[in-house]
Amino acid sequence: MAKLLFFGQLGDLAGGIERTMALSAAHAIGDIVALIDAQDRLLGSALAGPRVRYAVNGEIVAADFQVTDADELAFLPPVSGG
Amino acid sequence: MRRRVRIVAQAFDPEAEISIFRRSLEAAGAIVTFTGQVRASSADGHVSSLHLQHYPGMTERGIDAILDEAAQRWPLEAALVIHRVGDMDPFDPIVLVATASAHRRAAFEAADFLMDYLKSRALFWKSETNAAGRIWVEPRAEDYADARRWDDAPGGG
């Protein structure tokens, strides 16, 4: 099962910071967002927002990166610290 | 450069941490520290609490990388970053940055540089809860502009 992480307001929309998704084959992040969007338009459109970045296994990647069932995919909205 | 990075889920004591940092120094003559704490109120009313999230592992690696950059730009003996996560109340310390160098300019500039990174580029997400509900905070335009000051500036010395 791939692990999906939703930070910041994305976690509120997803109803939790973490969920799992079974991926029988590698999927581009854009395809995973489309799968989520088919079930939850509000979350799907937020994940597709222009200011959301993606990280796979702790490294920033582009939307065409191929995610497998063993990966951890994190959705990173605009940050704010300090 | 010696360094220490801590992401902590419990309250910390900046004065005690600064004292430990200062006593650990071997040669530095200049120490700069910055403490950020939860404001008592924000523009849209009283802040009842503040919550900070991070991405364990990735957040720490990002701070490590920015400390590498600080070490390349300025002749620092040591640097310390402590950042809270979890739930906080007004006046709780959120962040402590300390830098030490032979002379003051490098320590001032490096602390400023590190705070600009922590405010608008480090992987933290901050929400405020007040009477109106919970809102996720984004950096101000000034915070982004502050961070951009360093993008093509050569290091001090």
Side-chain angles (χ1 to χ4, degrees), chain B residues 108-119:
Chain B
F108 270 125
E109 290 184 0
D112 196 17
F113 169 78
L114 292 170
M115 273 311 303
D116 283 344
Y117 171 81
L118 291 167
K119 285 297 287 187

Side-chain angles (χ1 to χ4, degrees), chain B residues 25-67:
Chain B
L25 299 172
E26 291 166 3
I31 301 148
V32 168
T33 70
F34 174 87
T35 304
Q37 65 180 12
V38 181
R39 259 183 291 277
S41 67
S42 65
D44 54 351
H46 188 77
V47 175
S48 53
S49 71
L50 194 137
H51 179 80
L52 264 153
Q53 257 180 7
H54 76 307
Y55 186 0
M58 196 173 177
T59 303
E60 288 87 340
R61 284 198 300 280
I63 296 172
D64 261 337
I66 209 70
L67 285 167

Side-chain angles (χ1 to χ4, degrees), chain B residues 5-136:
Chain B
V5 177
R6 290 176 59 207
I7 311 283
V8 294
Q10 305 296 327
F12 69 96
D13 179 349
E15 287 74 27
E17 298 290 349
I18 292 165
S19 177
I20 293 166
F21 179 77
R22 189 175 66 79
R23 287 162 204 274
S24 75
L25 299 172
E26 291 166 3
I31 301 148
V32 168
T33 70
F34 174 87
T35 304
Q37 65 180 12
V38 181
R39 259 183 291 277
S41 67
S42 65
D44 54 351
H46 188 77
V47 175
S48 53
S49 71
L50 194 137
H51 179 80
L52 264 153
Q53 257 180 7
H54 76 307
Y55 186 0
M58 196 173 177
T59 303
E60 288 87 340
R61 284 198 300 280
I63 296 172
D64 261 337
I66 209 70
L67 285 167
D68 285 342
E69 194 177 332
Q72 285 171 5
R73 285 176 177 242
W74 295 281
L76 302 173
E77 179 186 330
L80 168 69
V81 174
I82 301 178
H83 206 297
R84 267 299 304 277
V85 291
D87 295 317
M88 280 158 272
D89 295 316
F91 306 113
D92 281 352
I94 306 174
V95 60
L96 171 66
V97 163
T99 53
S101 56
H103 301 285
R104 72 184 182 282
R105 186 65 54 203
F108 270 125
E109 290 184 0
D112 196 17
F113 169 78
L114 292 170
M115 273 311 303
D116 283 344
Y117 171 81
L118 291 167
K119 285 297 287 187
S120 62
R121 293 184 176 175
L123 293 179
F124 292 102
W125 295 272
K126 178 160 61 179
S127 66
E128 286 178 5
T129 301
N130 57 27
R134 172 150 97 145
I135 55 156
W136 289 93

